Amino acid sequence: MAITIGVDIGGSHISSAAVNTNDFVIISETYFSGAIDNKASKEVIIKKWAEIINKTIKAVQEKSEYAETDKIGIAFSMPGPFQYESGIAMFEGNDKYESLYNVSVSEELSKYLNVANITFRFLNDASCFGVGGSLLENAASSSKIIAITLGTGFGAAFLDNKLPITQGNNVPHNGCLWDKPFKDNIADSYFSTRWFLNEYEKSTGEKLTDGVKEIAAIENFSTAKIFDEFAENLSGFLSPFIIDFEADLLIIGGNIAKSHRLFLSKLQENFKSKNINTTISIVENTEQISILGSSYLYDEIFWEQIKTELPYF
């Protein structure tokens, strides 16, 4: 029997779960998560990752007829910069996990996992979210999908029949949007938590620290104006990419997506005014969807299609 475990690595967390690869759903009682100090030492970070993954391993062993000879495939939804083919972290100058620079995650992690028969596969976190979103029932009829995550940063993936597309005339370089120019800066400066905090402080003179959720809970004229401007910016930025890619579905996840009641209708209205009728799907359980997407790396047909073109960024 082969066991597949999906792992989502965030800027300050790790989540892990076993996935039934027959229908790509998370196996109950195998989901675990924990906070991570991304400025800790290599050993502290790797041990914490292993601690959470070991909980999933133990849970799935208890729930199935597990034998020591069974193979366990661990698939990572991993932020960049990262060498996804070799599994070597390249975090440098990005203020997170820098102690893992030039470290082989699979080699180091193997030292602390409670099983021996393991393989590892890695994919960019935004791509995993997109792949996971494409596996959802409401995405079944969509072939060309743009998936974005809105949170501490701005992630994006372009998918054609579930395959992440990173090069070509109709997609931006590396399939990324965070670094593309927008107004007087780059997109990441407008479609992340810090934009909301800065705008709220500019509007009210009050400094908030708890993120978009705190702003969304206030619900006054200032916050409504901020969310309307966000919808205006997002529709204006995304429209050319949606048109060029001919996307029939836009999937939105990340913490900001949880406040969609304050911007979704305006976003849809703005798209329609540009004659864009792309369906929008909001995903609130972003980590679980990323886990599902990473586990799809152990679909061997998908893996054969993607393994020789894994991105390095």
Side-chain angles (χ1 to χ4, degrees), residues 208-228:
L208 300 179
T209 58
D210 201 28
V212 176
K213 182 180 178 181
E214 185 179 8
I215 296 172
I218 296 170
E219 291 200 47
N220 57 22
F221 175 77
S222 293
T223 59
K225 188 166 179 278
I226 289 169
F227 277 99
D228 280 353

PDB file of all heavy atoms in Angstrom, residues 208-228:
ATOM      1  N   LEU A 208      -3.434  49.682  12.815  1.00  0.00           N
ATOM      2  CA  LEU A 208      -3.909  48.361  13.195  1.00  0.00           C
ATOM      3  C   LEU A 208      -2.802  47.334  12.960  1.00  0.00           C
ATOM      4  O   LEU A 208      -1.920  47.534  12.131  1.00  0.00           O
ATOM      5  CB  LEU A 208      -5.149  47.973  12.379  1.00  0.00           C
ATOM      6  CG  LEU A 208      -6.376  48.885  12.517  1.00  0.00           C
ATOM      7  CD1 LEU A 208      -7.508  48.388  11.628  1.00  0.00           C
ATOM      8  CD2 LEU A 208      -6.847  48.954  13.970  1.00  0.00           C
ATOM      9  N   THR A 209      -2.873  46.226  13.665  1.00  0.00           N
ATOM     10  CA  THR A 209      -1.822  45.211  13.546  1.00  0.00           C
ATOM     11  C   THR A 209      -2.357  43.813  13.257  1.00  0.00           C
ATOM     12  O   THR A 209      -1.588  42.911  12.938  1.00  0.00           O
ATOM     13  CB  THR A 209      -0.986  45.144  14.847  1.00  0.00           C
ATOM     14  OG1 THR A 209      -1.860  44.846  15.946  1.00  0.00           O
ATOM     15  CG2 THR A 209      -0.276  46.467  15.106  1.00  0.00           C
ATOM     16  N   ASP A 210      -3.674  43.633  13.341  1.00  0.00           N
ATOM     17  CA  ASP A 210      -4.225  42.283  13.281  1.00  0.00           C
ATOM     18  C   ASP A 210      -4.669  41.865  11.883  1.00  0.00           C
ATOM     19  O   ASP A 210      -5.305  40.835  11.708  1.00  0.00           O
ATOM     20  CB  ASP A 210      -5.396  42.153  14.263  1.00  0.00           C
ATOM     21  CG  ASP A 210      -5.673  40.713  14.612  1.00  0.00           C
ATOM     22  OD1 ASP A 210      -4.727  39.907  14.556  1.00  0.00           O
ATOM     23  OD2 ASP A 210      -6.837  40.386  14.914  1.00  0.00           O
ATOM     24  N   GLY A 211      -4.363  42.680  10.884  1.00  0.00           N
ATOM     25  CA  GLY A 211      -4.621  42.268   9.510  1.00  0.00           C
ATOM     26  C   GLY A 211      -5.988  42.625   8.975  1.00  0.00           C
ATOM     27  O   GLY A 211      -6.753  43.402   9.565  1.00  0.00           O
ATOM     28  N   VAL A 212      -6.305  42.040   7.842  1.00  0.00           N
ATOM     29  CA  VAL A 212      -7.520  42.377   7.103  1.00  0.00           C
ATOM     30  C   VAL A 212      -8.773  41.995   7.883  1.00  0.00           C
ATOM     31  O   VAL A 212      -9.796  42.682   7.822  1.00  0.00           O
ATOM     32  CB  VAL A 212      -7.507  41.687   5.717  1.00  0.00           C
ATOM     33  CG1 VAL A 212      -8.806  41.932   4.967  1.00  0.00           C
ATOM     34  CG2 VAL A 212      -6.320  42.192   4.898  1.00  0.00           C
ATOM     35  N   LYS A 213      -8.702  40.906   8.618  1.00  0.00           N
ATOM     36  CA  LYS A 213      -9.859  40.473   9.414  1.00  0.00           C
ATOM     37  C   LYS A 213     -10.303  41.575  10.370  1.00  0.00           C
ATOM     38  O   LYS A 213     -11.512  41.811  10.552  1.00  0.00           O
ATOM     39  CB  LYS A 213      -9.498  39.206  10.192  1.00  0.00           C
ATOM     40  CG  LYS A 213     -10.624  38.636  11.021  1.00  0.00           C
ATOM     41  CD  LYS A 213     -10.168  37.380  11.755  1.00  0.00           C
ATOM     42  CE  LYS A 213     -11.277  36.817  12.633  1.00  0.00           C
ATOM     43  NZ  LYS A 213     -10.829  35.610  13.379  1.00  0.00           N
ATOM     44  N   GLU A 214      -9.356  42.268  10.970  1.00  0.00           N
ATOM     45  CA  GLU A 214      -9.657  43.359  11.910  1.00  0.00           C
ATOM     46  C   GLU A 214     -10.321  44.520  11.178  1.00  0.00           C
ATOM     47  O   GLU A 214     -11.301  45.105  11.665  1.00  0.00           O
ATOM     48  CB  GLU A 214      -8.365  43.815  12.592  1.00  0.00           C
ATOM     49  CG  GLU A 214      -8.566  44.853  13.678  1.00  0.00           C
ATOM     50  CD  GLU A 214      -7.269  45.252  14.349  1.00  0.00           C
ATOM     51  OE1 GLU A 214      -6.184  44.844  13.873  1.00  0.00           O
ATOM     52  OE2 GLU A 214      -7.329  45.980  15.362  1.00  0.00           O
ATOM     53  N   ILE A 215      -9.811  44.838  10.002  1.00  0.00           N
ATOM     54  CA  ILE A 215     -10.398  45.925   9.213  1.00  0.00           C
ATOM     55  C   ILE A 215     -11.808  45.551   8.766  1.00  0.00           C
ATOM     56  O   ILE A 215     -12.738  46.366   8.829  1.00  0.00           O
ATOM     57  CB  ILE A 215      -9.503  46.248   8.004  1.00  0.00           C
ATOM     58  CG1 ILE A 215      -8.144  46.770   8.468  1.00  0.00           C
ATOM     59  CG2 ILE A 215     -10.178  47.260   7.075  1.00  0.00           C
ATOM     60  CD1 ILE A 215      -7.131  46.939   7.355  1.00  0.00           C
ATOM     61  N   ALA A 216     -11.986  44.323   8.321  1.00  0.00           N
ATOM     62  CA  ALA A 216     -13.289  43.871   7.835  1.00  0.00           C
ATOM     63  C   ALA A 216     -14.344  43.917   8.921  1.00  0.00           C
ATOM     64  O   ALA A 216     -15.530  44.148   8.642  1.00  0.00           O
ATOM     65  CB  ALA A 216     -13.167  42.459   7.274  1.00  0.00           C
ATOM     66  N   ALA A 217     -13.942  43.723  10.167  1.00  0.00           N
ATOM     67  CA  ALA A 217     -14.898  43.689  11.274  1.00  0.00           C
ATOM     68  C   ALA A 217     -15.411  45.081  11.645  1.00  0.00           C
ATOM     69  O   ALA A 217     -16.455  45.206  12.292  1.00  0.00           O
ATOM     70  CB  ALA A 217     -14.263  43.029  12.488  1.00  0.00           C
ATOM     71  N   ILE A 218     -14.717  46.116  11.218  1.00  0.00           N
ATOM     72  CA  ILE A 218     -15.099  47.476  11.604  1.00  0.00           C
ATOM     73  C   ILE A 218     -16.322  47.955  10.822  1.00  0.00           C
ATOM     74  O   ILE A 218     -17.247  48.541  11.369  1.00  0.00           O
ATOM     75  CB  ILE A 218     -13.908  48.436  11.424  1.00  0.00           C
ATOM     76  CG1 ILE A 218     -12.786  48.030  12.384  1.00  0.00           C
ATOM     77  CG2 ILE A 218     -14.329  49.886  11.655  1.00  0.00           C
ATOM     78  CD1 ILE A 218     -11.464  48.732  12.143  1.00  0.00           C
ATOM     79  N   GLU A 219     -16.333  47.708   9.528  1.00  0.00           N
ATOM     80  CA  GLU A 219     -17.477  47.996   8.652  1.00  0.00           C
ATOM     81  C   GLU A 219     -18.019  49.418   8.810  1.00  0.00           C
ATOM     82  O   GLU A 219     -19.135  49.635   9.256  1.00  0.00           O
ATOM     83  CB  GLU A 219     -18.604  46.977   8.886  1.00  0.00           C
ATOM     84  CG  GLU A 219     -18.251  45.592   8.399  1.00  0.00           C
ATOM     85  CD  GLU A 219     -19.460  44.704   8.175  1.00  0.00           C
ATOM     86  OE1 GLU A 219     -20.409  45.183   7.536  1.00  0.00           O
ATOM     87  OE2 GLU A 219     -19.437  43.557   8.638  1.00  0.00           O
ATOM     88  N   ASN A 220     -17.214  50.393   8.444  1.00  0.00           N
ATOM     89  CA  ASN A 220     -17.680  51.778   8.380  1.00  0.00           C
ATOM     90  C   ASN A 220     -17.344  52.330   6.996  1.00  0.00           C
ATOM     91  O   ASN A 220     -16.917  51.593   6.106  1.00  0.00           O
ATOM     92  CB  ASN A 220     -17.051  52.628   9.488  1.00  0.00           C
ATOM     93  CG  ASN A 220     -15.522  52.623   9.453  1.00  0.00           C
ATOM     94  OD1 ASN A 220     -14.914  52.347   8.408  1.00  0.00           O
ATOM     95  ND2 ASN A 220     -14.897  52.900  10.581  1.00  0.00           N
ATOM     96  N   PHE A 221     -17.550  53.631   6.816  1.00  0.00           N
ATOM     97  CA  PHE A 221     -17.335  54.231   5.494  1.00  0.00           C
ATOM     98  C   PHE A 221     -15.892  54.039   5.032  1.00  0.00           C
ATOM     99  O   PHE A 221     -15.634  53.725   3.865  1.00  0.00           O
ATOM    100  CB  PHE A 221     -17.681  55.725   5.534  1.00  0.00           C
ATOM    101  CG  PHE A 221     -17.374  56.437   4.243  1.00  0.00           C
ATOM    102  CD1 PHE A 221     -18.209  56.314   3.138  1.00  0.00           C
ATOM    103  CD2 PHE A 221     -16.226  57.215   4.126  1.00  0.00           C
ATOM    104  CE1 PHE A 221     -17.913  56.955   1.942  1.00  0.00           C
ATOM    105  CE2 PHE A 221     -15.925  57.856   2.929  1.00  0.00           C
ATOM    106  CZ  PHE A 221     -16.774  57.724   1.839  1.00  0.00           C
ATOM    107  N   SER A 222     -14.943  54.203   5.950  1.00  0.00           N
ATOM    108  CA  SER A 222     -13.526  54.098   5.592  1.00  0.00           C
ATOM    109  C   SER A 222     -13.182  52.696   5.099  1.00  0.00           C
ATOM    110  O   SER A 222     -12.495  52.536   4.084  1.00  0.00           O
ATOM    111  CB  SER A 222     -12.640  54.452   6.791  1.00  0.00           C
ATOM    112  OG  SER A 222     -12.768  55.818   7.128  1.00  0.00           O
ATOM    113  N   THR A 223     -13.656  51.677   5.810  1.00  0.00           N
ATOM    114  CA  THR A 223     -13.316  50.311   5.409  1.00  0.00           C
ATOM    115  C   THR A 223     -14.017  49.932   4.105  1.00  0.00           C
ATOM    116  O   THR A 223     -13.435  49.255   3.264  1.00  0.00           O
ATOM    117  CB  THR A 223     -13.675  49.303   6.514  1.00  0.00           C
ATOM    118  OG1 THR A 223     -15.071  49.381   6.794  1.00  0.00           O
ATOM    119  CG2 THR A 223     -12.892  49.588   7.780  1.00  0.00           C
ATOM    120  N   ALA A 224     -15.266  50.386   3.938  1.00  0.00           N
ATOM    121  CA  ALA A 224     -15.983  50.097   2.686  1.00  0.00           C
ATOM    122  C   ALA A 224     -15.248  50.698   1.499  1.00  0.00           C
ATOM    123  O   ALA A 224     -15.110  50.069   0.439  1.00  0.00           O
ATOM    124  CB  ALA A 224     -17.407  50.635   2.756  1.00  0.00           C
ATOM    125  N   LYS A 225     -14.739  51.909   1.678  1.00  0.00           N
ATOM    126  CA  LYS A 225     -13.999  52.590   0.617  1.00  0.00           C
ATOM    127  C   LYS A 225     -12.707  51.831   0.286  1.00  0.00           C
ATOM    128  O   LYS A 225     -12.328  51.695  -0.878  1.00  0.00           O
ATOM    129  CB  LYS A 225     -13.678  54.017   1.072  1.00  0.00           C
ATOM    130  CG  LYS A 225     -13.084  54.916   0.001  1.00  0.00           C
ATOM    131  CD  LYS A 225     -13.149  56.364   0.471  1.00  0.00           C
ATOM    132  CE  LYS A 225     -12.550  57.299  -0.562  1.00  0.00           C
ATOM    133  NZ  LYS A 225     -11.097  57.396  -0.512  1.00  0.00           N
ATOM    134  N   ILE A 226     -12.049  51.321   1.311  1.00  0.00           N
ATOM    135  CA  ILE A 226     -10.803  50.577   1.107  1.00  0.00           C
ATOM    136  C   ILE A 226     -11.078  49.303   0.309  1.00  0.00           C
ATOM    137  O   ILE A 226     -10.361  48.982  -0.651  1.00  0.00           O
ATOM    138  CB  ILE A 226     -10.140  50.250   2.463  1.00  0.00           C
ATOM    139  CG1 ILE A 226      -9.570  51.523   3.082  1.00  0.00           C
ATOM    140  CG2 ILE A 226      -9.035  49.206   2.288  1.00  0.00           C
ATOM    141  CD1 ILE A 226      -9.136  51.366   4.533  1.00  0.00           C
ATOM    142  N   PHE A 227     -12.122  48.569   0.666  1.00  0.00           N
ATOM    143  CA  PHE A 227     -12.428  47.329  -0.044  1.00  0.00           C
ATOM    144  C   PHE A 227     -12.894  47.607  -1.482  1.00  0.00           C
ATOM    145  O   PHE A 227     -12.592  46.823  -2.389  1.00  0.00           O
ATOM    146  CB  PHE A 227     -13.469  46.513   0.720  1.00  0.00           C
ATOM    147  CG  PHE A 227     -12.873  45.676   1.811  1.00  0.00           C
ATOM    148  CD1 PHE A 227     -12.905  46.109   3.132  1.00  0.00           C
ATOM    149  CD2 PHE A 227     -12.261  44.462   1.530  1.00  0.00           C
ATOM    150  CE1 PHE A 227     -12.349  45.344   4.144  1.00  0.00           C
ATOM    151  CE2 PHE A 227     -11.701  43.688   2.536  1.00  0.00           C
ATOM    152  CZ  PHE A 227     -11.737  44.126   3.854  1.00  0.00           C
ATOM    153  N   ASP A 228     -13.602  48.707  -1.687  1.00  0.00           N
ATOM    154  CA  ASP A 228     -13.991  49.074  -3.059  1.00  0.00           C
ATOM    155  C   ASP A 228     -12.762  49.401  -3.900  1.00  0.00           C
ATOM    156  O   ASP A 228     -12.681  49.009  -5.082  1.00  0.00           O
ATOM    157  CB  ASP A 228     -14.945  50.280  -3.038  1.00  0.00           C
ATOM    158  CG  ASP A 228     -16.374  49.899  -2.708  1.00  0.00           C
ATOM    159  OD1 ASP A 228     -16.657  48.683  -2.632  1.00  0.00           O
ATOM    160  OD2 ASP A 228     -17.212  50.811  -2.522  1.00  0.00           O
TER     161      ASP A 228
END
